[in-house]
Amino acid sequence: TPRGNDTFPNHPLTLLLSISRIKSRSRYPTSSTVPVSHLRSRLVADNITPDRQNDLFSSLSRMSSLKKFTLEELRKHDGKGPDGKIYVALGGKVYDVTEKGSQFYGKDSPYEKMAGRDASRALASMNLLKVKDGPDDLSDLSELQKEGLKRWVAQFDEKYTVVGTLEK
């Protein structure tokens, strides 16, 4: 039976949640780096298959090599800068929507306000007025909104290229 976060088993956020579940049961403080050997032993103890373990580690490896964007850096990619790039942050990841999404997020488009911003709350709540300029804690989202955010992240993962992660 799938556990709560197994709806998108190969999704990087699900993978990070799997690792955080492991960390929460370990002897390592949450702010510390957990040795790979410890993570592997916990994955085995949790009956996670070797193929799934490899998926977890390769996804984590890919995510750790991505650029980490601050909100200030993200704002520079609103389509109005010299490079014309349009980035949208969603669920902690930063997507390049320039080519496949400029009609949605570019100048004079319906979602232009999300360009160069974290659109997590706006898309989770389906309210464009909720695009935030500053850091946003999503812990107050309802379960329905959290599910909606997961669906948006899955859609973005399929359509756009992840170029980085958003720093908190």
Side-chain angles (χ1 to χ4, degrees):
T1 334
R3 289 191 265 187
N5 294 318
D6 292 340
T7 310
F8 303 107
N10 293 319
H11 189 278
L13 290 177
T14 302
L15 302 174
L16 289 174
L17 287 170
S18 298
I19 295 303
S20 69
R21 280 198 305 253
I22 290 165
K23 258 183 127 170
S24 69
R25 295 190 310 256
S26 78
R27 60 193 153 129
Y28 300 98
T30 36
S31 61
S32 71
T33 303
V34 177
V36 170
S37 59
H38 177 75
L39 293 176
R40 286 241 186 241
S41 68
R42 291 304 313 164
L43 290 169
V44 169
D46 283 354
N47 296 320
I48 296 177
T49 66
D51 286 344
R52 179 78 173 113
Q53 290 177 38
N54 290 335
D55 288 346
L56 282 165
F57 284 101
S58 71
S59 290
L60 286 171
S61 174
R62 274 193 311 278
M63 283 190 74
S64 66
S65 65
L66 293 173
K67 177 173 175 36
K68 290 178 179 21
F69 285 86
T70 63
L71 287 169
E72 287 176 31
E73 291 171 315
L74 179 63
R75 282 189 201 107
K76 294 176 186 173
H77 300 284
D78 61 359
K80 298 170 187 158
D83 65 359
K85 292 286 187 184
I86 305 170
Y87 292 171
V88 174
L90 184 65
K93 294 190 282 186
V94 177
Y95 297 88
D96 184 344
V97 301
T98 309
E99 290 184 29
K100 296 180 182 175
S102 62
Q103 71 275 23
F104 301 113
Y105 307 101
K107 188 175 183 329
D108 299 324
S109 65
Y111 306 114
E112 177 183 14
K113 192 172 183 179
M114 293 182 194
R117 301 281 192 276
D118 182 357
S120 300
R121 179 173 299 277
L123 290 173
S125 64
M126 297 304 296
N127 184 343
L128 295 180
L129 299 175
K130 294 195 175 185
V131 174
K132 297 266 185 166
D133 274 333
D136 192 9
D137 174 17
L138 301 174
S139 63
D140 63 333
L141 292 179
S142 70
E143 287 305 312
L144 185 62
Q145 290 171 328
K146 288 175 187 176
E147 286 302 313
L149 180 58
K150 273 200 257 185
R151 286 191 298 276
W152 276 108
V153 167
Q155 184 175 335
F156 270 57
D157 281 342
E158 284 185 32
K159 188 170 184 178
Y160 305 117
T161 303
V162 176
V163 293
T165 58
L166 188 60
E167 286 185 348
K168 294 290 176 188

